[in-house]
Amino acid sequence: MNVREPATRDHAAMQPTVTLLGPPGSGKGTQAARLRELCGFTTLATGDLLREARRAGTDLGRRAAEYMDRGELVPDELIVAIVREAIAALDGEPILLDGFPRTVAQADALAGALEARGRQLRAAVLVDVPDDVVVERISTRRQGREDDRPETVRERLRVYHRDTKPLTAYYDERDLLRRVDGAQGVDAVEADVRAAIT
Ligand code: ADP
């Protein structure tokens, strides 16, 4: 049995855990990278984890691929298992989640996974960007991602509104929601995100 020292648990409990919410193209990834550099957060970006699994040709990657290419969410049980494992490996480190949770079921699972490690969510920061700005940004970024085709972007947005947007009420009820205007310039968004999590 793995018996943890109380001091280690206390230390882990003090490390902040933050999640960034927002539509595709809202700039969550850009902000996550800045917070990693400037504030020492370890970033857990589920989209990156899944793309890595695909490149590596793992079972998870193969199963996730069909959903990703359609602009749909991968099933909760696939993603929850890897996030839970990743969180357990990050005891004592501040964690920034990018792209997780995306459904209410994932949010409940996150709360349980954090509690199991003596952690609590400090804030859910909504990087809010209107749909027309999202479509414009993604069509000009064109990084060659399979799921950046216009019809897939529309589907990702539809899924965002249906499955992920309800998390704003979920976190608002728990007093954890912080809203940031993601249509501003990158530096202004960063300043607001930092203010929201400290
Ligand atoms: P974006 O925020 O631009 O949509 P991501 O890289 O976060 O891009 O996600 C890309 C795709 O990966 C999603 O459309 C979805 O298929 C899958 N994905 C990422 N995170 C999750 C998650 N938490 N739950 C289910 N699917 C996810």
Side-chain angles (χ1 to χ4, degrees), residues 175-187:
D175 232 3
L176 291 170
L177 187 72
R178 311 283 180 267
R179 286 174 196 273
V180 165
D181 176 7
Q184 308 175 91
V186 179
D187 291 338

Side-chain angles (χ1 to χ4, degrees), residues 118-195:
R119 289 176 173 268
Q120 255 185 350
L121 195 65
R122 174 182 286 185
V125 182
L126 171 64
V127 182
D128 213 0
V129 176
D131 286 3
D132 52 340
V133 177
V134 164
V135 172
E136 169 68 26
R137 278 187 186 173
I138 297 185
S139 58
T140 50
R141 102 176 160 196
R142 291 244 152 247
Q143 291 168 334
R145 252 171 63 177
E146 268 296 298
D147 57 354
D148 276 352
R149 288 192 308 269
E151 63 278 17
T152 316
V153 171
R154 276 194 294 276
E155 177 62 10
R156 283 158 62 201
L157 262 175
R158 206 177 64 79
V159 168
Y160 170 76
H161 285 288
R162 187 190 61 200
D163 296 335
T164 308
K165 202 68 201 292
L167 288 180
T168 57
Y170 177 99
Y171 284 122
D172 209 13
E173 281 161 19
R174 288 160 180 76
D175 232 3
L176 291 170
L177 187 72
R178 311 283 180 267
R179 286 174 196 273
V180 165
D181 176 7
Q184 308 175 91
V186 179
D187 291 338
V189 176
E190 184 200 319
D192 287 355
V193 171
R194 283 161 69 118

Side-chain angles (χ1 to χ4, degrees), residues 28-45:
K28 298 187 301 288
T30 303
Q31 295 301 328
R34 288 187 168 209
L35 292 171
R36 184 176 56 216
E37 300 238 317
L38 299 166
C39 310
F41 275 97
T42 297
T43 314
L44 263 183

Side-chain angles (χ1 to χ4, degrees), residues 7 16 20 24-25 48 51 59 62 73 83 87 89 92 99 111-113 117 123 125 151 158:
L20 296 180
D48 290 346
R51 280 185 290 274
D59 187 41
R62 273 195 300 275
L73 297 181
V83 170
I87 287 174
R117 309 310 296 185
V125 182
E151 63 278 17
R158 206 177 64 79

